[in-house]
Amino acid sequence: MDKVLMKGNEAIAEAAIRAGCRHFFGYPITPQTEISAYMARRMPKIGGTFLQAESEVAAINMVYGAAGAGVRAMTSSSSPGISLKSEGISYIAGADLPCVIVNIVRAGPGLGGIQPAQSDYFQAVKGGGHGDYRMIVVAPSSIQEIVDSTFLAFDLADKYRMPVMLMGDGMLGQMMEPVAFPDTTGVKLPEKEWATTGTKKMRKPNIINSLYIQPDELEALIKNRWKKYIEIEQNEVRFEAEGTEDAEIILVAYGATARIVKAAIKKARENGIKAGLIRPITLWPFPSDVISAAAKKVKAILCVEMSMGQMVEDVRLSAAGACPVHFYGRTGGVVPIPADVYDEIRRYV
Amino acid sequence: MAIVFQKPKALSDVPLHYCPGCTHGIVHRLVAEVIDELGIEGSTIGVAPVGCAVFAYNYFNCDMQEAAHGRAPAVATGIKRANPENIVFTYQGDGDLAAIGTAETVHAAARGENITIIFINNAIYGMTGGQMAPTTLVGQVTQTSPYGRKVEAQGYPIRMSEMLSTLEGPSYIKRCSVDSIKNINDTKRAIKKAFQNQIDKKGFSLVEVLSTCPTNWGLSPVEALDWLRENMIPHYPLGTYKDIDAEQKA
Amino acid sequence: MPSKRLNYIAIRFMPHTAAERRIAMTYEILFAGFGGQGILFSGKVAAYAGLMGDMEVSWLPSYGPEMRGGTANCHVIISDSPVGSPIVNNPTDLVAMNLPSFTKFEKTVLTGGNIIADSSLISIKPDRDDINFYPIPATQMASDMEIPKLANMIIFGKLIAVSKFATMETVRKAVEKSVPPSKKELIEVNMKAIEAGYNYIG
């Protein structure tokens, strides 16, 4: 297929449709509104549902209902809206429902700003909502990877019956790059015999629920769910490593920031500094093993984020003291520039 | 031997957890009877609330989803949009529907979402032990209005049926009561119409049912029924607030 | 002025053997002006022209309140290697369509780079002599040609003439891609504007 130029937000929407999503529930918020606008244009033409909900809270609960009814459902928002959706995400995790939630992150806290940020890492990978649960978080770094990640997100959600977050930022959402879409004609979506589609008086009622009043029962259920999480940690870690074989310093960055870091690494290499990159693509499950192994071989690790330092905590846990882990971050919607990252690299080698 | 009384098929064989004298049991039965009579058990999806009826997903013999507090109309919207041929109903109390879930209620109604809502109004939060509800009457004593609901501090109770009937979206809005045999029969007719409307794709229907909470009102079941008649009905008049069928005939 | 281009390629951390450097081509273009001048559209045509020429491209708009009437700008990178940061901090080429943009971004242009300015709206000259300056009265020309909304494409034509990141044949394909299918009639008028700018000698 021919490559077309597409905004990140529009690429997510098109990829979701091609992945079989026919139910999208949204609420406008900058900088992700193009997703809703695209869905509003396309869904009526393909027999799908686009619904602008009365709030982010309502939208995520519509996703809960639709996912419980067995369809591929999605919602998207940006940081303040994800805070509102967090209640629903917890219920979705507690009821073992598959769905995709898009967060095109902007600066916070509060209303914050509308420029790109990565300050929702904690919210995404450490909970956000209440309770013992995990959510797979996929953080692409280019528009083509956004497309691939959207397919992946729906597949993982169905495979493990759990919410998956696709995390971008204002820059990825707004920028255009060439993309190609895989051919999905004839791809069959998985059967969901647990969904509430009506008993047709042929089976016992299906119940979608997260309430378990007996502590023993709830503990057993959560422990069972944890086995799934461990399986995911073993099988679904995704990352990109570049120049790590001979590196004296490893940079760790994800999403749009990783692109900036790549430019800085290029300059470092040109100037004789052996710098490498580990780019987590899944933020949970986190690529701890590769970082742990790298930490034993390098002089230092430098974590770069558009935040005051969130992922760096997981990098430090992974490095476990094997080497110093430094941090460089810009926040509030300020995007780091390659020259500044290069200067940081020089400080540590 | 002829069977003269039996449980509706749409009620499962699980003992209800409701307090003695609580009218939830009556309304559950009415909903189940309607589902039986319409023959829709196999295509019905219920949405349970947070509140005393939180376990409703165990009581109705159809597919069920348990919603977060107040979100039942949004969840029902998702289910209905996913499978429009299913019959989707929510069963919600006054705290769930008229306080934390007001936005979801109003907007599902405004969209004319083709779902059926059973709204239990007993003027109190039951499950959490008797706190003030959005429908608590002025002067009514609850755990969080211990000196009686005062207008200056806590404002006025909300009349949801009247408010929602100002919208163009709903097809049917009726307030009933289960304080007497006659009113119980009326309530059943209203519930049946609310489900039939959905089958006929007429859009949003809501039946508000004035109910008792003897435990948290601190009254015996019989006293509670008297209290409902003497205090609630004057403030929440029974009647049909919206009916597009009647409007079309007129 | 090939020597000037080599100059800023070196600054942009490009491959450092001489042979590689000769073929290394990266254009970092900043389009800036008022919202409503078609800044984002000309950026899109530029990006498509790169794509049609088998280059790697990225397009990044400013977004938010400034979209609605204030200043608008758009970062386009066209390169023969994968695009890292899509942000253009130091453009090789600046297309300035109003005075605030000109004064704001003039100093960020790389040595040896190009500034193409709409001289109908910008009467001043750059404060530096290490760049190439190309004033073009795009708004006046558009008005004279009775295509008042296409000053952006006239100045785009000038950009193509001086930076040469795409042939006119490729530019036509890019315009065809960028114009919505329902507005095919706009292709020719856009090309007319681009050619006017391309052929302008000032």
Side-chain angles (χ1 to χ4, degrees), chain A residues 151-174:
Chain A
F151 284 93
L152 177 69
F154 277 105
D155 288 345
L156 291 178
D158 278 345
K159 182 175 177 188
Y160 295 104
R161 271 185 73 178
M162 64 188 288
V164 177
M165 177 173 279
L166 187 64
M167 195 145 117
D169 60 63
M171 187 155 82
L172 286 170
Q174 294 296 324

Side-chain angles (χ1 to χ4, degrees), chain A residues 64 198-200 203 206 208, chain B residues 42 63-66 81 111:
Chain A
Y64 178 102
T199 62
K200 316 214 171 28
R203 58 161 169 78
N206 284 336
I208 304 295
Chain B
D63 281 0
M64 294 289 295
Q65 293 199 20
E66 166 57 33
R81 298 288 180 124
R111 286 193 300 268

